[in-house]
Amino acid sequence: MPLSFGNPWLLTGALAVGVPLWLHLYYRRTPVPRDFPSLRLIRLSVEAMTRRMKLRHLLLLALRILAVLLLTLAFARPFIGGGALSAGTGAPAAFVVILDNSLSMGTTHQGISLFNTARARAIEIVDQMGPYDKASVILCNDPGTVLFPQLTWDKNELKEAVRNAPLSAAGTNLAGALQPALKLLAPVRAFRRTVYLVTDLTKSSWEPLLATYDLKRIDPSIDLVLVQVGDAAPPNLAVTELAIDDPMVMKGRPATLRATVVNHSAQPHTTRLSILVGDDKKSEQTIELGPNGSKRLEIPLTFGDTGFQHVRAVLPADALPQDDVRHLAVQVRAPPRVLILRPPPDRDGKPNREDLFLRFALNPLNRTEGALFLVDSRSPEETGEVNPSEYATVFLVNQRSLPDALVKSLSKYLLGGGSLVTFCGPRVDPAWYNATLIDGLGGGYLLPARLFKRVGNAVSKAVAYQLTDLDTGHPAFKPFGTDGSGDPGRAPVYEFYQVQPNPSALVLARMSHGLPGIVEERRGQGRTLLVTFTADTGWTTWPLKPTFLPFVHASVMGMLSRQGINAGAIQPGTPVSLTVSEEGLKRVSLTLPTGQSQEIPLRRDNGEGLLHLTVAQTDQAGFYRLRFEGATEREEAFAVNPPPAESDLERLPQSRIVRFIRLEHQAGSKQSLGQKVVAVREGRDVSFPLLWALLLTVLAESILANRPLRLGGRASS
Amino acid sequence: MTTSRLSRFLDPKVLASLAALEIKARNVVEGFVEGLHKSPFKGFNVEFSEYRQYVPGDPLKDIDWKVYARTDKYYIKEHEEETNLSGYLIMDTSGSMGYRGGNAPMSKLEYAATLAASLAYLMLRQQDSVGLVTFADGVRRVIRPRTGMAQLKSICTELEQTAPQDRTDIGDALDRVAGTMRKRGLLIIFSDLMDNAETIINKVRQLRTRRHEVLLFHILDHHELTFPFEDTTLFRDLEDRSELITDAFSLRREYLRRLQQYVGAFQSALRKSGIDYLLADTSRPVEASLKSFFTRRQSVGARLA
């Protein structure tokens, strides 16, 4: 509690504490000399009394010093609770109201929203603004919004801003709101400065602040006042996770939807979870949740249409309805088309077996209906009229060289979001590869690594290398991440190219002596993957092994699923960025969860033919759809969901709140919030209680000092 | 009673108030002259004591032939002999006895000397012999018991010439007195007892064991009994000159408690041993102290008679 003084110069009177000290010391040093028959009894008494006497002396000294201090303090007119330097001086006030508009403030109890209560409290605080006071309002949803970048005198404007403040679907960023508030108040030292924080005091929002911010280091002359709304945490159920594990969702093929429901209450609950695709309810199931428990559900789902689908997991509305719905944007695809740029036939005219192995791996049954991938195999010379962007992935297999036009179209394809997989082989000319596919494109390179020389001998098979250090976190090797799921390292590799990965490339697997074996790099919106050996059995027996097919599938699916926007973890208020190929693009429009559409301004990139888009209006939770209009039309979509932590409405224990002055206020209190605000701002004059304390101290001193006088008596026979 | 003033310690007022009193030893003491005091020695005087069988060596003239005629056995008839009293006034002259509180009419030594002179006067007046022993950390002067008023002058002169000094060692003084007194007698001790209580009690009990009659005047100043000091005080010990600074005000309660304990220890221990103990406050008139002493002596004597 801050302390200030109406007459601070009177505090110099505290020097008078020296008087009892001096008296104490003086009388200790000038005793009255007196003869006495014998000190025997006195000595014995002193031994017994010494401790008590010392204590009594010290107590008396303390009481006398306290009396002088209390007298001085009482005359200095101390104020408690006001601005440390200016309370009681009539200085104007400068304050900032931080209004918590995070998702948890959307809690309703008996039909009353916490956020409405908070707004009413904030308006009451602003109402106490005097004609010379100035203030600002900050919203503390993540990442925080300063409604008035400068302190303003306009009370009505401030009240209007509070009245119109929206409830956000985002989390709470207390530090992000407190910092600008302190910054606003820092220069106005002549004012009584206060920060009012109107919040529900949820544990999940305060713990990050307490962990990262030392509140005690805040300028002590600035009062921090906490106005809590909502005193108890109501039971709340929430959908905290909605995702699809499958790397690629295809039309007509079953996918597995994963949903997690959490019970934030000490009571068990039974609820119903509905899964909706668009407006069609696909499933509904009853869930039983234990106290403070959660349940993860796996729900099979099949999509009948291609394109971006809006999937929702919905619970019946409770105290916090905003977290009872979770959204997911799912891109449902038709079987993707894959282009294999096959090498020319052998000298004896036999077709190249690499093409054969890859086609078999991608479409084992060679089906046109129900196949996972539709494979198109062509030689480079046959690609003159082919547009690579029609293919999801292009395989470049053991090519000596490529036509210039194809190289350029592949480069554009890659930057615009395509996937390129390159297999090496005996026909590969490293000099041409490095000169054309890396250096010759002016930065628009196609390969993730530079080729050097061949290592090993596939003819003599003298040394067999193996794939090691598999990056099982990468989609290409994820299928091999668990025991018993196969090991690509068991296939020998007799010959491969030694490569040097680009600085931003990832080595997904190494050969057994440490050289990179498989390398991947993101290029623009696309990805390029290099396998340093052949796709047939010329240099390795891997294509004959059962692990080859899952690798090829996972590589392609992984590259496709990571195209576009990562829709998994977008929180409200977080800007979403996207880079797209500018070829023929005329207009990009965004459809908000409310159904409103707006055009997104386009920002040109550095000459690679790319455009950067940023969607900043992601305040609302829900499904966002982007439509790209131009030579061709396509869509992107993403979902915005509230942070799961906001669903936990547990309050922070009061004992953990430091530095803040708590302003307790209940509806129907005798004193209005405004009066309490004024009391905190102005401080309370405590000189009268101090005078009472002085009286009690003097009384105590008298009793203690004279206590032995009451103990009369004499020794007698 | 008429007497010229021999000493400042013989106050005519005091002596007048004591005129009707006399000292009677409660128990039998040994004496030389037949008088008011009974002798423990079996003689042939008026009062019959007991018969005992004849043993070889007893004078034949002591055999009671009448008893022989009846019992055909030799019995000796014994008598108690009345004798006069022989006493010592044992005076503590240590430094602490020189203390005189603010309003006290005299120092403790002067008070004790007045008491002693008065008692000497009374004893000599009834033909008892009386002596004086002064001591501090050792015996300073011994005047052997004698009868006659000339002895009173010697005692008074000695008392007047004695100045308080040195520490108190009662044990040594009592040992010396016990060694000097070959016969049982009366010992009157005047002291403030500023010595080890246990030692004093043991020594006095030893005297009592030798069948001496012991009277103890515990002389204390009024300030010692009430400790009326209030300031932070530098107390100087009158015996060893040591000093102690303390807050007398806060010490008072504890001091009085300990003094009460100290006095109580003497009272209970000495009375159990049949030793008379009297706490004399120097602020009280000497005659008042003597009166209360004799009153108690008489009442005890009457009870035993």
Side-chain angles (χ1 to χ4, degrees):
Chain A
M1 182 75 69
L3 181 68
S4 57
F5 299 93
N7 304 319
W9 56 273
L10 278 177
L11 285 174
T12 50
L15 294 173
V17 295
V19 174
L21 266 175
W22 179 82
L23 287 172
H24 180 78
L25 296 172
Y26 175 79
Y27 280 110
R28 277 183 62 183
R29 286 176 185 173
T30 54
V32 179
R34 195 182 299 279
D35 287 337
F36 204 70
S38 171
L39 302 187
R40 280 173 54 81
L41 286 179
I42 294 180
R43 277 207 182 90
L44 289 171
S45 305
V46 165
E47 279 170 21
M49 287 287 294
T50 299
R51 196 173 295 167
R52 266 188 291 168
M53 279 164 61
K54 273 186 183 170
L55 186 66
R56 182 175 166 275
H57 281 164
L58 288 175
L59 209 58
L60 274 173
L61 179 65
L63 282 171
R64 286 161 190 170
I65 289 173
L66 181 65
V68 173
L69 280 177
L70 286 172
L71 189 69
T72 312
L73 284 173
F75 278 111
R77 275 189 75 209
F79 287 83
I80 286 179
L85 297 175
S86 51
T89 61
F95 63 91
V96 176
V97 178
I98 298 176
L99 179 61
D100 185 355
N101 68 332
S102 63
L103 180 77
S104 61
M105 294 292 286
T107 309
T108 52
H109 183 58
Q110 295 177 337
I112 301 168
S113 156
L114 273 191
F115 186 57
N116 285 342
T117 310
R119 278 197 293 208
R121 299 266 160 89
I123 287 171
E124 269 192 90
I125 293 167
V126 174
D127 253 338
Q128 300 308 316
M129 198 172 163
Y132 301 104
D133 298 345
K134 51 185 185 177
S136 177
V137 177
I138 295 176
L139 303 179
C140 74
N141 61 309
D142 196 9
T145 313
V146 181
L147 296 183
F148 295 88
Q150 299 291 326
L151 294 171
T152 175
W153 280 272
D154 193 337
K155 189 198 287 189
N156 291 330
E157 203 179 354
L158 286 162
K159 284 164 72 176
E160 193 61 24
V162 171
R163 214 169 277 128
N164 295 331
L167 176 68
S168 162
T172 320
N173 187 350
L174 289 173
L178 199 55
Q179 259 175 339
L182 297 173
K183 215 170 182 177
L184 279 170
L185 294 176
V188 287
R189 290 189 166 274
F191 287 65
R192 284 169 289 157
R193 299 175 294 175
T194 314
V195 175
Y196 297 96
L197 174 56
V198 188
T199 179
D200 56 357
L201 206 66
T202 52
K203 199 172 176 182
S204 58
S205 59
W206 275 80
E207 275 183 340
L209 175 76
L210 297 176
T212 57
Y213 210 99
D214 187 1
L215 293 171
K216 289 179 182 168
R217 294 184 68 182
I218 292 174
D219 184 348
S221 65
I222 298 176
D223 289 335
L224 302 181
V225 180
L226 180 69
V227 182
Q228 186 182 350
V229 287
D231 44 3
N236 183 40
L237 303 184
V239 186
T240 55
E241 185 192 24
L242 185 64
I244 280 187
D245 285 336
D246 306 70
M248 204 165 66
V249 180
M250 290 192 184
K251 177 187 168 186
R253 296 180 75 93
T256 305
L257 191 67
R258 184 161 34 86
T260 303
V261 182
V262 179
N263 173 20
H264 290 291
S265 81
Q267 303 298 323
H269 277 281
T270 303
T271 188
R272 294 186 321 278
L273 179 71
S274 305
I275 302 296
L276 289 88
V277 177
D279 292 326
D280 293 339
K281 186 185 278 187
K282 293 287 184 183
S283 73
E284 183 177 82
Q285 48 188 293
T286 303
I287 310 165
E288 288 184 356
L289 294 160
N292 292 311
S294 66
K295 191 158 272 184
R296 176 179 271 200
L297 306 165
E298 290 191 347
I299 304 150
L301 199 61
T302 306
F303 294 91
D305 298 318
T306 57
F308 282 94
Q309 302 292 327
H310 179 195
V311 180
R312 283 180 292 163
V314 183
L315 292 172
D318 56 12
L320 184 58
Q322 288 86 344
D323 66 359
D324 296 329
V325 183
R326 200 155 186 94
H327 307 270
L328 179 68
V330 179
Q331 186 178 15
V332 182
R333 303 168 189 266
R337 295 180 66 197
V338 175
L339 173 64
I340 299 174
L341 292 174
R342 64 168 185 264
D346 291 345
R347 287 175 187 170
D348 52 4
K350 285 184 183 173
N352 197 289
R353 294 201 306 164
E354 288 158 320
D355 171 48
L356 187 69
F357 277 108
L358 275 177
R359 271 194 291 138
F360 178 78
L362 289 165
N363 189 358
L365 301 176
N366 198 20
R367 293 188 304 187
T368 51
E369 287 294 324
L372 201 58
F373 300 103
L374 298 176
V375 183
D376 192 0
S377 174
R378 294 168 188 247
S379 68
E381 291 75 23
E382 295 169 347
T383 56
E385 295 170 6
V386 172
N387 183 2
S389 62
E390 293 172 6
Y391 296 93
T393 305
V394 175
F395 282 83
L396 180 62
V397 183
N398 193 15
Q399 295 290 341
R400 183 180 304 279
S401 61
L402 298 174
D404 288 347
L406 181 59
V407 171
K408 282 183 182 169
S409 64
L410 280 176
S411 174
K412 194 177 286 181
Y413 161 74
L414 188 62
L415 292 172
S419 308
L420 179 67
V421 181
T422 306
F423 277 89
C424 294
R427 293 175 59 81
V428 166
D429 176 6
W432 182 86
Y433 267 61
N434 292 336
T436 311
L437 302 185
I438 291 186
D439 301 330
L441 292 167
Y445 55 88
L446 292 175
L447 294 179
R450 189 175 290 274
L451 303 186
F452 282 93
K453 60 178 183 181
R454 284 154 67 166
V455 178
N457 191 324
V459 177
S460 68
K461 298 183 179 174
V463 182
Y465 302 94
Q466 289 167 333
L467 285 174
T468 57
D469 292 343
L470 306 182
D471 183 357
T472 52
H474 189 274
F477 287 107
K478 209 168 188 175
F480 313 110
T482 54
D483 290 339
S485 54
D487 179 10
R490 299 176 79 172
V493 177
Y494 301 108
E495 196 166 337
F496 63 95
Y497 262 98
Q498 180 184 347
V499 298
Q500 183 186 19
N502 295 339
S504 61
L506 292 173
V507 177
L508 306 185
R510 292 183 180 276
M511 307 312 293
S512 44
H513 61 339
L515 289 174
I518 299 173
V519 185
E520 190 207 53
E521 187 177 8
R522 187 182 176 114
R523 291 287 298 127
Q525 287 294 293
R527 290 175 192 275
T528 172
L529 186 141
L530 173 68
V531 182
T532 57
F533 43 86
T534 57
D536 68 355
T537 53
W539 288 4
T540 175
T541 60
W542 193 21
L544 298 173
K545 304 288 181 189
T547 53
F548 185 68
L549 186 143
F551 165 73
V552 173
H553 282 216
S555 302
V556 176
M557 286 181 177
M559 286 194 283
L560 292 180
S561 65
R562 288 180 294 154
Q563 285 178 344
I565 300 164
N566 178 13
I570 301 172
Q571 291 191 355
T574 308
V576 174
S577 294
L578 185 68
T579 305
V580 294
S581 173
E582 70 171 335
E583 191 180 11
L585 187 64
K586 290 179 181 169
R587 184 170 174 267
V588 179
S589 61
L590 172 72
T591 306
L592 298 171
T594 54
Q596 290 177 313
S597 280
Q598 55 186 234
E599 197 167 330
I600 303 291
L602 304 176
R603 189 155 53 87
R604 303 285 164 184
D605 196 27
N606 53 8
E608 285 188 337
L610 298 175
L611 285 172
H612 284 295
L613 303 175
T614 302
V615 181
Q617 285 183 312
T618 56
D619 294 333
Q620 299 159 346
F623 184 73
Y624 291 75
R625 192 185 295 275
L626 281 163
R627 184 178 296 279
F628 300 87
E629 296 171 26
T632 56
E633 289 196 357
R634 68 183 186 93
E635 279 188 345
E636 283 283 350
F638 60 90
V640 174
N641 286 296
E646 281 293 308
S647 301
D648 186 357
L649 303 178
E650 188 186 347
R651 304 293 194 253
L652 188 78
Q654 294 191 9
S655 57
R656 293 190 57 193
I657 301 168
V658 292
R659 184 64 175 81
F660 276 90
I661 303 164
R662 286 177 62 86
L663 204 61
E664 304 284 353
H665 184 70
Q666 299 292 333
S669 298
K670 198 181 284 181
Q671 204 178 13
S672 73
L673 178 67
Q675 288 171 316
K676 290 176 184 172
V677 165
V678 172
V680 168
R681 193 182 300 167
E682 298 293 334
R684 194 160 59 89
D685 187 350
V686 289
S687 49
F688 194 67
L690 281 176
L691 284 172
W692 269 109
L694 172 67
L695 192 66
L696 291 174
T697 306
V698 170
L699 197 65
E701 194 272 344
S702 304
I703 291 169
L704 188 64
N706 294 295
R707 192 171 61 98
L709 289 177
R710 291 188 288 116
L711 306 169
R714 50 166 287 169
S716 67
S717 57
Chain B
M1 183 180 64
T2 56
T3 180
S4 60
R5 185 154 187 182
L6 288 172
S7 162
R8 60 190 172 101
F9 298 131
L10 281 174
D11 187 347
K13 272 166 66 185
V14 174
L15 297 178
S17 68
L18 299 176
L21 301 173
E22 58 184 22
I23 296 175
K24 285 188 174 182
R26 190 173 53 223
N27 297 324
V28 180
V29 292
E30 185 181 282
F32 299 124
V33 183
E34 286 183 8
L36 298 174
H37 311 290
K38 291 178 180 175
S39 168
F41 292 101
K42 310 300 182 284
F44 306 93
N45 210 302
V46 186
E47 287 191 38
F48 168 75
S49 173
E50 63 179 350
Y51 283 106
R52 70 170 170 82
Q53 275 201 317
Y54 170 81
V55 291
D58 283 339
L60 289 175
K61 66 181 178 71
D62 292 345
I63 296 173
D64 189 330
W65 296 109
K66 287 179 183 173
V67 175
Y68 172 73
R70 286 199 298 269
T71 62
D72 203 20
K73 287 179 182 173
Y74 298 113
Y75 278 94
I76 302 290
K77 189 177 182 183
E78 291 190 333
H79 296 84
E80 279 192 351
E81 199 176 25
E82 284 212 342
T83 180
N84 64 327
L85 183 68
S86 174
Y88 264 113
L89 303 169
I90 303 168
M91 180 67 61
D92 179 1
T93 60
S94 62
S96 61
M97 289 294 285
Y99 182 70
R100 179 180 174 182
N103 299 319
M106 58 185 87
S107 72
K108 291 199 288 182
L109 183 60
E110 289 167 338
Y111 194 86
T114 307
L115 277 176
S118 305
L119 289 172
Y121 171 77
L122 282 177
M123 290 171 76
L124 289 170
R125 196 170 147 262
Q126 57 184 18
Q127 303 304 310
D128 290 331
S129 61
V130 64
L132 175 70
V133 177
T134 57
F135 72 91
D137 56 347
V139 174
R140 291 172 69 181
R141 179 74 192 272
V142 178
I143 299 175
R144 293 196 171 275
R146 284 194 182 84
T147 55
M149 294 309 282
Q151 177 73 350
L152 182 62
K153 189 172 184 182
S154 305
I155 289 171
C156 289
T157 306
E158 179 57 33
L159 287 174
E160 283 184 359
Q161 286 174 352
T162 304
Q165 60 184 31
D166 299 333
R167 294 163 181 268
T168 309
D169 187 353
I170 299 178
D172 181 46
L174 295 184
D175 283 344
R176 285 280 300 277
V177 171
T180 309
M181 287 187 76
R182 289 190 297 273
K183 294 177 183 174
R184 295 164 194 166
L186 176 66
L187 302 178
I188 305 173
I189 304 166
F190 303 90
S191 173
D192 56 5
L193 303 178
M194 291 301 170
D195 200 354
N196 185 283
E198 205 176 338
T199 309
I200 297 171
I201 290 166
N202 286 338
K203 291 290 178 187
V204 175
R205 276 178 177 164
Q206 282 174 17
L207 291 174
R208 181 68 188 137
T209 310
R210 293 181 187 182
R211 309 196 72 182
H212 292 299
E213 181 76 6
V214 184
L215 310 175
L216 180 60
F217 280 92
H218 191 177
I219 314 292
L220 289 175
D221 189 88
H222 188 66
H223 279 188
E224 284 182 282
L225 289 167
T226 56
F227 209 71
F229 315 115
E230 293 189 349
D231 304 314
T232 299
T233 308
L234 169 69
F235 287 105
R236 282 194 297 250
D237 192 315
L238 287 175
E239 292 195 354
D240 59 10
R241 309 309 298 172
S242 61
E243 293 180 345
L244 179 72
I245 299 173
T246 187
D247 178 14
F249 186 71
S250 22
L251 192 70
R252 183 165 181 261
R253 187 186 181 196
E254 180 66 18
Y255 171 85
L256 291 177
R257 192 182 69 78
R258 285 188 175 270
L259 181 66
Q260 189 86 47
Q261 210 175 0
Y262 191 67
V263 169
F266 278 112
Q267 278 176 338
S268 60
L270 296 182
R271 282 181 183 167
K272 268 183 201 168
S273 307
I275 297 163
D276 266 346
Y277 170 87
L278 185 82
L279 179 65
D281 180 352
T282 57
S283 65
R284 293 179 72 201
V286 174
E287 58 269 35
S289 292
L290 282 171
K291 268 182 184 172
S292 59
F293 167 67
F294 285 123
T295 304
R296 201 162 66 205
R297 293 284 304 175
Q298 278 184 328
S299 66
V300 171
R303 197 168 61 245
L304 292 173

